[in-house]
Amino acid sequence: MLKAVPRHMDSLALLVDLVREFLGTTPGSEQMAFDLDLVIEELFMNIVRHGRGTGSVEVELSSASGEGVQLVLRANEPVAHDPTMAPEVDANAPIEARRAGGLGLRLVRGLSREFRYEWCDGVATTTVVVGATI
Amino acid sequence: MLELQVQDGGAVRLIGRLDAAEAGQLQMALDAIPGPVTLECSALDYISSAGISVILLTHRRVTAAGSTLTLVGLNPRVRSVFTLANLDKVFVIQ
C-alpha cells in the first residue's frame, strides 16, 4: 500500500491514516500501529527537516517475513543523507547533557529489525522492517 | 490531534497524540509555567521524539530553577517510548 504525501509535518495525519488502512482491525494491531506511527514519523520528519529535495515523499507499507511490516520511504534528494550512519545519541549521558537531536533515530533503531538506506540517481530510499520476531 | 487542559498549580492534562505537528503547542503552554510542572498523561495515546524533546527541555528549565517536572499516568505504550529513549529512570514518573 503506497501513498505520496507533501513534504510537510501536516502530512503526519495522512500517514496515520495510511497505517490504519494497511493494518485494518487485525487483533493485536494496536501495538504494531503505534510502532509504525513512531518509526514513520521519525523518518519522515528527518526528511522534512534535513532533506534538501523537493516534491512529495512516497511511503509504502507491505508485509514482511515473521509477521513484520516493511516500510519504505522514497524521496527525491540531490545529495545523500544517510540516517543509518547518524551517530548514536548518548542515552546514558546525564539529563543536563542530553540533546534532543538523534533521539528519533534511537527510537527507530530500537523498534526495527532492519534499517537500510540507499541513494541512487537522486532518489533516497529508506527501508525499515518493524515488528514481530522471526 | 492533541488537546491540552491547563489547570492550576502547573498541572497540564494531555489528551490525544503528541507528535511533531503538535509539539509546538505543548512547548508554548509549558513555557508559561514557571514550575513545578505536572503532566497528567492518562489520556495521552502517542508520543514521538518531538514530544519527548519538549518535555526534556522543560525538565531542564524547571530543574535549573530549583523546581520539578513530574509525569503521571503514562499508559504502557507511551511509557515504552521513554524506556527506549532511556529516559524512564531520569524523569519522575508516577
Side-chain angles (χ1 to χ4, degrees):
Chain A
M1 185 173 289
L2 185 147
K3 183 175 277 189
V5 298
R7 199 183 276 246
H8 189 277
M9 71 167 73
D10 288 346
S11 296
L12 290 173
L14 299 173
L15 296 174
V16 169
D17 292 343
L18 174 68
V19 169
R20 302 304 177 282
E21 191 178 349
F22 176 75
L23 292 176
T25 55
T26 310
S29 65
E30 294 86 359
Q31 183 65 53
M32 177 62 87
F34 187 96
D35 293 349
L36 279 173
D37 285 348
L38 193 50
V39 171
I40 290 174
E41 176 179 338
E42 302 299 350
L43 293 173
F44 179 77
M45 289 307 299
N46 198 54
I47 293 170
V48 170
R49 289 184 174 127
H50 303 297
R52 297 183 187 176
T54 57
S56 60
V57 177
E58 281 186 2
V59 180
E60 184 173 16
L61 295 171
S62 59
S63 297
S65 62
E67 299 182 2
V69 174
Q70 177 173 277
L71 160 69
V72 179
L73 293 97
R74 288 184 205 89
N76 291 323
E77 291 293 339
V79 295
H81 178 76
D82 186 350
T84 69
M85 300 299 287
E88 289 274 359
V89 65
D90 183 1
N92 296 311
I95 194 164
E96 300 78 18
R98 294 282 189 102
R99 294 186 310 107
L103 184 56
L105 291 176
R106 177 180 173 83
L107 301 178
V108 171
R109 289 183 176 113
L111 290 171
S112 59
R113 54 186 165 94
E114 289 182 37
F115 184 19
R116 304 190 306 270
Y117 176 89
E118 75 171 348
W119 181 88
C120 184
D121 294 333
V123 178
T125 303
T126 307
T127 304
V128 176
V129 177
V130 175
T133 53
I134 297 173
Chain B
M1 195 64 122
L2 179 72
E3 180 186 345
L4 299 177
Q5 295 177 349
V6 180
Q7 300 160 347
D8 293 338
V12 180
R13 181 167 160 80
L14 283 62
I15 303 167
R17 297 174 61 87
L18 177 50
D19 61 14
E22 305 288 349
Q25 178 193 172
L26 178 62
Q27 184 75 71
M28 284 177 49
L30 296 182
D31 283 349
I33 302 173
V37 175
T38 302
L39 299 178
E40 205 292 303
C41 301
S42 61
L44 182 66
D45 300 322
Y46 171 84
I47 190 168
S48 67
S49 68
I52 289 185
S53 296
V54 171
I55 296 171
L56 188 60
L57 290 171
T58 304
H59 180 277
R60 195 172 294 167
R61 175 178 62 80
V62 300
T63 54
S67 193
T68 57
L69 181 148
T70 304
L71 298 162
V72 177
L74 301 177
N75 75 39
R77 289 194 182 109
V78 170
R79 187 176 181 126
S80 74
V81 181
F82 285 88
T83 303
L84 268 176
N86 209 26
L87 288 168
D88 55 323
K89 304 286 193 302
V90 176
F91 291 129
V92 177
I93 300 177
Q94 296 177 352

